[in-house]
Amino acid sequence: MGVFYNSICVPAGDPDEVLGALDRWLAGRGFRASEEPVLFDLDADSERSAFLVRNDSWVVLFFSQWDEERRLIRELQSSFPALLYLWVFDSDAWGWDLFDSDGFVGSFSSSPGTYQSFGDDTVSSAGRPGADADELCRRLGVDPSLAEPIRALQRRPAAFKEDLCRELCQLLGLEAALSSYDDLETGSAQGQHGQWNRVQRVYFHYDAATSGPDDPLELHRVRLHASPDDPLSALRSQPIEISPELLREMERMRRRARVTLLLLRPLSWLARGWRSLYEASFRLRGDRRSETEDAVPESPLTVQPTDTATRHEVWNSRHGVRVLLPQGIEPLPVSGKPSAVLAFRYGATTVTCTARRRRHVREVLRPPSRSKVLEDDRYRVGPLAARRVVYELPPRPGGGEVSHLTLNVVETFRALYVFLYRYSGTADPELDAGVRAVVGSFRLTEEALREKRNAPSGERFRA
């Protein structure tokens, strides 16, 4: 899988004006800015977010909803004389769009027959002129002598199109633009020079989202099975009849898929090896960016040994939680996504802890398809409600062992913290006891407790 980059670039832009335009546009759609910490993956219906990365020459905006960027650009066009939109699609295509207050000034796509940045207009259509490197330089206020190198760059082939987009960014002094919202959120942003050290995140939520239930259903009160009154419960329990002809066709399709995968696997290995050699050659030639610190959010995770060298305390500053890992349990790094809290390994099993909204408690505890509930234990971790549920999952199609999926869920005033792990075969009491010991050490930090005390009514939090 290739890379996907997209960014809105404002030359000599005032970051306050960019934020003002973003705020006006979202306010008109019912969203308002919020100072609440971003603890979960964004809800596409009720939340929006953006990163602003800037230096003295550029403001680069990364928006959380790529499918809304064209509408956002229309809002920004009324405030700025020029905008540049840069994109890379799956490493297969790349391009740019230049806008002024009236619309498209020029566009370029390396594969105009197969991919456009915005599908409603094609490059060189009446409302969307083709690329003009001279006009690009003039509108952006950069050295006009760069026009010819830009034209040559647009004609050049490359196996990985982000390499060409990178060179354009270097010509324009726009290194930070070669990234995406997801890269910045997870802390894996690429192509940022050390001078791009001013990063700001803004968060918005839909006003109506605050009118939901103030008190989500408590963790201990959720039933794992559908109610007998549920009109769909009888339908779910009925066996599905599949004709013998359909079963035979499904088996033929599975066989064809297995053969195709076997044929493609060597090609995949060759492609990975070739890409590794290709990137290594660029590093040896010094064409890659200099080794400078990326302007990305710091990891919220801290691991520190206790007074006993074989034990570790793991803190997540974003969520204000910590656990103690006993001897033999290894802490693991986590993604920079807001919902990723911590992870650790016990023997060969990896355990992850993620944050979920309290109002999604039914979804968190919903039994997987065709599973059987083996255990459902309601307990407390200090003052916090907790619940342990063990599901037995059937063997995968084609044979194999049954497996066990175990959830340990801790409910705090603002989130559900879900410890999840899965293993095949019979129950493993030692593993279960080890994980239960970690969950039993779960505590809120002093900062989180202080936030709870200062929250309206002591308990209310928009989760």
Side-chain angles (χ1 to χ4, degrees):
M1 183 176 176
V3 299
F4 295 81
Y5 295 145
N6 48 301
S7 54
I8 302 170
C9 311
V10 184
D14 182 343
D16 291 334
E17 288 187 30
V18 175
L19 280 176
L22 178 64
D23 189 79
R24 287 193 305 274
W25 178 64
L26 287 173
R29 302 171 59 207
F31 292 87
R32 65 179 179 85
S34 173
E35 297 297 324
E36 292 179 10
V38 181
L39 302 179
F40 314 99
D41 296 334
L42 293 182
D43 185 321
D45 294 328
S46 63
E47 294 174 304
R48 297 292 183 270
S49 183
F51 284 98
L52 267 73
V53 185
R54 61 190 188 272
N55 65 6
D56 294 333
S57 302
W58 291 92
V59 175
V60 185
L61 176 64
F62 301 89
F63 189 58
S64 59
Q65 302 296 112
W66 66 268
D67 55 332
E68 297 177 357
E69 287 178 330
R70 182 66 186 98
R71 283 175 281 170
L72 172 57
I73 287 171
R74 289 192 181 98
E75 177 68 32
L76 294 169
Q77 284 175 241
S78 63
S79 302
F80 301 97
L83 298 172
L84 181 66
Y85 182 74
L86 286 169
W87 56 268
V88 175
F89 180 81
D90 202 17
S91 295
D92 290 332
W94 77 284
W96 54 264
D97 299 280
L98 180 65
F99 298 90
D100 65 6
S101 58
D102 295 323
F104 287 99
V105 175
S107 293
F108 166 75
S109 171
S110 64
S111 303
T114 56
Y115 190 78
Q116 311 286 337
S117 53
F118 304 106
D120 49 351
D121 288 311
T122 58
V123 174
S124 297
S125 63
R128 191 173 186 179
D132 184 334
D134 295 294
E135 185 71 5
L136 177 71
C137 293
R138 187 180 73 80
R139 296 279 187 144
L140 297 182
V142 300
D143 187 348
S145 66
L146 296 177
E148 185 54 41
I150 291 174
R151 279 190 285 268
L153 190 63
Q154 292 173 170
R155 293 191 296 266
R156 192 195 311 166
F160 306 108
K161 299 303 189 289
E162 64 267 26
D163 294 326
L164 300 178
C165 191
R166 179 181 291 106
E167 291 191 41
L168 177 66
C169 290
Q170 291 170 344
L171 288 172
L172 300 178
L174 250 179
E175 294 88 348
L178 198 71
S179 189
S180 68
Y181 175 89
D182 287 341
D183 287 338
L184 283 158
E185 185 178 56
T186 60
S188 59
Q190 300 290 323
Q192 294 199 36
H193 194 270
Q195 64 178 320
W196 295 85
N197 57 359
R198 284 167 286 181
V199 180
Q200 180 180 1
R201 181 175 189 171
V202 288
Y203 166 64
F204 301 82
H205 66 74
Y206 194 63
D207 272 337
T210 61
S211 62
D214 293 339
D215 299 310
L217 189 61
E218 294 177 3
L219 178 64
H220 284 177
R221 294 172 55 195
V222 178
R223 294 182 179 181
L224 295 183
H225 301 286
S227 168
D229 300 330
D230 183 356
L232 295 179
S233 59
L235 180 62
R236 293 191 189 102
S237 63
Q238 292 177 2
I240 299 175
E241 296 290 340
I242 302 177
S243 67
E245 293 80 7
L246 181 56
L247 287 172
R248 285 194 293 270
E249 180 59 26
M250 291 171 64
E251 181 58 31
R252 283 195 292 269
M253 291 176 65
R254 280 196 290 265
R255 284 199 297 267
R256 286 196 292 268
R258 284 196 292 268
V259 171
T260 302
L261 289 174
L262 287 173
L263 292 174
L264 291 178
R265 189 171 297 167
L267 295 177
S268 174
W269 293 337
L270 287 173
R272 290 181 192 172
W274 182 63
R275 172 147 194 167
S276 298
L277 291 173
Y278 180 80
E279 293 183 344
S281 69
F282 267 84
R283 287 192 294 269
L284 290 173
R285 284 167 25 206
D287 289 349
R288 295 295 187 190
R289 66 186 177 91
S290 59
E291 295 296 325
T292 52
E293 184 177 356
D294 286 343
V296 295
E298 294 182 2
S299 169
L301 206 62
T302 301
V303 179
Q304 61 185 39
T306 63
D307 51 356
T308 304
T310 55
R311 302 178 71 183
H312 293 84
E313 197 164 30
V314 181
W315 299 69
N316 188 299
S317 58
R318 175 188 289 132
H319 287 269
V321 301
R322 59 91 170 165
V323 296
L324 185 66
L325 302 184
Q327 181 179 0
I329 298 184
E330 174 189 357
L332 297 174
V334 296
S335 159
K337 296 284 283 184
S339 60
V341 182
L342 55 92
F344 55 89
R345 181 181 293 118
Y346 190 104
T349 301
T350 296
V351 183
T352 60
C353 175
T354 56
R356 299 292 301 273
R357 302 171 197 272
R358 290 182 61 204
R359 65 175 181 267
H360 293 169
V361 60
R362 289 187 185 276
E363 178 185 326
V364 169
L365 294 176
R366 181 181 297 132
S369 175
R370 299 168 54 224
S371 65
K372 182 196 305 182
V373 178
L374 297 183
E375 297 181 39
D376 182 10
D377 180 20
R378 296 166 173 82
Y379 64 104
R380 305 195 75 82
V381 173
L384 305 173
R387 191 162 177 175
R388 179 175 181 269
V389 184
V390 182
Y391 301 104
E392 182 182 272
L393 307 180
R396 289 185 171 90
E401 297 181 296
V402 298
S403 59
H404 294 81
L405 177 69
T406 302
L407 306 179
N408 279 271
V409 185
V410 180
E411 182 180 35
T412 73
F413 71 104
R414 60 183 179 185
L416 301 172
Y417 291 95
V418 184
F419 294 79
L420 181 147
Y421 60 101
R422 178 175 177 170
Y423 59 91
S424 299
T426 58
D428 187 340
E430 183 179 349
L431 169 64
D432 294 336
V435 175
R436 180 70 172 259
V438 175
V439 177
S441 70
F442 182 97
R443 295 292 184 273
L444 295 173
T445 64
E446 285 299 323
E447 291 79 5
L449 290 171
R450 190 158 47 246
E451 181 181 350
K452 178 185 177 183
R453 288 193 294 269
N454 293 337
S457 76
E459 282 290 333
R460 180 166 174 158
F461 191 87
R462 206 181 61 85

